[in-house]
Amino acid sequence: MSVASRVGEDIILRRSTSIAGKRSVLTKFAWVVALCVVFVAVLAPLLAWHQPIVCKYQGTYDFPAVVDTVRQIPVLGSYLEKSKPFRFPTFDARKTLDPDSFAIWPPIPFGPIELMADANLSSSRAHWLGTDDRGRDVLARLIHGTRVSVRVGLYSMLLAGAIGIVVGAVAGFFGGMCDWVCSRFIEIVMCFPAFFLILAVMAWIGEGLTGVILVIGFTQWTSIARLVRAEVVRGREADFVMAARSYGASNTHILIRHLLPGALGPAVVAMTFGVADAILLEAGLSWVGVWRSVADAFVGLDAA
Amino acid sequence: MTNTRDRDTLLQIRDLRVRYDQAAADTLDRVSLSIKRQEAVALLGDSGCGKTTLALAMMRLLPNGAMVSGSIELRDGDYATPIELTRLAEDRLREVRGKRMAMLFQSPQRSLNPVLRIGSQIEEVIRVHTNVRRADARLKAIQSLTRVGITDPERIIRAWPHELSGGMAQRIGLAITLAGQPDLLIADEPTSSLDANAKAQVVELLRKPRRTMGMAILLITHDWTIARALADRVCVMDGNRIVEDRQPEEFEAHNIHPAARRLIDASNRRLRIAVTNGDDVR
């Protein structure tokens, strides 16, 4: 009998560890995918660009694609803004100007808005995914589009998360009239269709990534706020909150230290789904032609 | 004579009445009680007689809808005038809670936040009470755990609440309440969720700070044996009011209130059941 129970214990033990193992493999896989997307977004000009990564021209070395990558990083890039970027001449011209020149190109040696000779090419060794109706390389546009999508998804959800967590926590914690006002406000905001609101805002302040991010952020926080409110209401009556009050903790302290940690889990999950929704919304807008996501992202950068 | 007694009094409750929102009757009906410095008073009563309500009223932790009348005065050796707790503003109340009066709750595990490690919860209390840096708070947390008889504080400090046994959790609850070095500790059924062994340990741990810190205790319990073991004075509550207020020895001899008799008999009977069960097993 004792042997049987021992065996049973073993099975239970093994099963639970294998579930834990599987979960950690899944987690690792998810991290790898997410990091790949971020990697592609941040390093887009090193993967697909119309300028080489390293080149030597007329006796000097230069790194135009690297410079352009750094230039597009929000804070760091502003230091490089002043100097006019080096431009490597086209293949035919450089041979006649400087026979000693050489260059290492990105894997896809085309920019996202650069026009090729031929439109509507099917996939070939030069253009892995072919070219579109205006003769632009599709894979290059895909890589640079990732950068826009990630920016829209992350920034708009950071904004939505900040609003949602504050409104939800205040509504849930203080209850009563405050809760009523916040909840009605949440319901009113939920009624705004983000898609059409963006169209209106675009007409008002003009096209641009900032407008899209702001509108998505200011409309998509409601589900986060509702989740946080529910968690805070549940936790507010818990014994450990009364215990914290009994040793002299203030309302702010109880809310931030005791209630928000428990409420952040559901909020973060809602935010990750929100990132996907925001990307889809942005892609929809771009497809309808309300704004030209990839082209607009390079306004100012690639006027040359 | 009256003067010296007055100075000895730490807390004076007079004619306290509490009625919950939309309740038909008072939950506390003109309750008067005084606690002297360093005195251990047990409040004995059946469940639902208003013991916990009294404790919550003292800490001003009653729900918003509760109506309170009467007075609760907390005296300070230095203060000329006592502090009236029933009308104290919320920000001044925070200076009383934890530092002057602290409360130990009935369910030790539920009074710890499940998503925070033990160490950070104790450090947090220390940082609420004293203005110390994080590293010093950690050191103090370890000291406070040693004081409540935990032998491996470094391990416990990294543990989560669900990993602890009931007795261990109650020790941590005690460490948290003692962190502010209060004059009065209100212990609300501190042993009712524990087994006999852990019970005895908690009673011993409650005795110690009385000696070392000169702390008064209000022990709320339905268990006569615990009250008898710890208290200088036993008050019995029945029907929302206090019906007996004596020294524990007097309960044997005197003609006492039937409610007190019933509670004492109940705990004796439980003892007998425990003994017969032991015989059966053997």
Side-chain angles (χ1 to χ4, degrees), chain B residues 186-259:
Chain B
I186 303 170
D188 183 10
E189 305 261 13
T191 57
S192 59
S193 61
L194 305 178
D195 63 49
N197 206 5
K199 232 176 233 188
Q201 285 170 353
V202 167
V203 169
E204 193 46 51
L205 283 171
L206 283 173
R207 273 201 192 116
K208 214 167 83 180
R210 264 192 81 198
R211 287 196 305 268
T212 54
M213 291 161 50
M215 189 176 70
I217 295 178
L218 177 64
L219 175 76
I220 292 171
T221 182
H222 58 257
D223 191 335
W224 165 250
T225 48
I226 303 287
R228 167 101 222 223
L230 200 68
D232 305 324
R233 232 172 76 220
V234 178
C235 299
V236 179
M237 277 191 85
D238 184 52
N240 309 326
R241 52 207 308 181
I242 289 181
V243 293
E244 288 279 359
D245 185 351
R246 302 166 189 280
Q247 309 208 318
E249 307 83 54
E250 294 177 345
F251 280 85
E252 314 284 333
H254 281 77
N255 189 12
I256 56 173
H257 191 277

Side-chain angles (χ1 to χ4, degrees), chain B residues 144-161:
Chain B
S144 72
L145 284 181
T146 330
R147 216 175 303 141
V148 292
I150 286 170
T151 46
D152 50 351
E154 277 87 359
R155 189 177 66 85
I156 295 298
I157 239 167
R158 284 193 305 274
W160 298 96

Side-chain angles (χ1 to χ4, degrees), chain A residues 29-283:
Chain A
F29 179 71
W31 269 112
V32 167
V33 169
L35 286 177
C36 278
V37 171
V38 172
F39 180 77
V40 168
V42 173
L43 301 180
L46 296 182
L47 299 172
W49 202 234
H50 59 284
Q51 289 289 319
I53 299 173
V54 186
C55 61
K56 185 190 176 195
Y57 180 67
Q58 290 179 338
T60 54
Y61 285 90
D62 214 314
F63 311 90
V66 179
V67 170
D68 286 338
T69 308
V70 177
R71 268 162 59 88
Q72 289 173 23
I73 296 170
V75 184
L76 209 63
S78 58
Y79 292 105
L80 289 168
E81 206 70 53
K82 289 155 204 158
S83 62
K84 189 172 174 5
F86 169 82
R87 287 286 169 251
F88 195 73
T90 51
F91 188 84
D92 295 333
R94 70 158 178 138
K95 274 288 173 207
T96 54
L97 291 171
D98 178 14
D100 290 336
S101 65
F102 84 95
I104 300 171
W105 290 86
I108 294 109
F110 312 106
I113 57 173
E114 190 186 5
L115 300 179
M116 304 294 132
D118 303 302
N120 287 328
L121 282 180
S122 62
S123 58
S124 63
R125 189 170 288 177
H127 301 285
W128 294 3
L129 294 181
T131 56
D132 69 1
D133 55 349
R134 288 192 223 165
R136 297 170 297 196
D137 186 79
V138 173
L139 183 55
R141 291 178 67 73
L142 197 66
I143 288 170
H144 286 268
T146 310
R147 155 181 286 230
V148 180
S149 297
V150 167
R151 196 180 291 171
V152 169
L154 282 185
Y155 289 176
S156 63
M157 273 308 122
L158 283 179
L159 178 63
I163 301 171
I165 287 169
V166 169
V167 173
V170 167
F173 190 66
F174 294 104
M177 196 61 198
C178 176
D179 186 18
W180 192 89
V181 170
C182 288
S183 295
R184 295 302 85 77
F185 182 56
I186 290 170
E187 281 154 20
I188 290 168
V189 173
M190 278 173 78
C191 295
F192 284 110
F195 197 87
F196 296 101
L197 201 62
I198 291 171
L199 299 190
V201 172
M202 289 287 155
W204 181 32
I205 63 168
E207 293 181 9
L209 197 60
T210 324
V212 175
I213 289 172
L214 288 181
V215 173
I216 295 178
F218 278 116
T219 51
Q220 304 301 86
W221 54 269
T222 50
S223 58
I224 300 166
R226 280 153 59 97
L227 284 167
V228 171
R229 178 188 165 274
E231 285 295 315
V232 170
V233 165
R234 196 167 64 95
R236 190 179 60 184
E237 306 299 330
D239 286 358
F240 61 81
V241 170
M242 192 181 269
R245 230 180 259 289
S246 83
Y247 62 67
S250 63
N251 275 341
T252 348
H253 181 98
I254 289 172
L255 187 55
I256 291 172
R257 287 286 292 158
H258 287 284
L259 294 177
L260 276 188
L264 279 185
V268 167
V269 171
M271 279 165 73
T272 52
F273 285 124
V275 168
D277 284 348
I279 289 173
L280 204 62
L281 194 58
E282 186 273 329

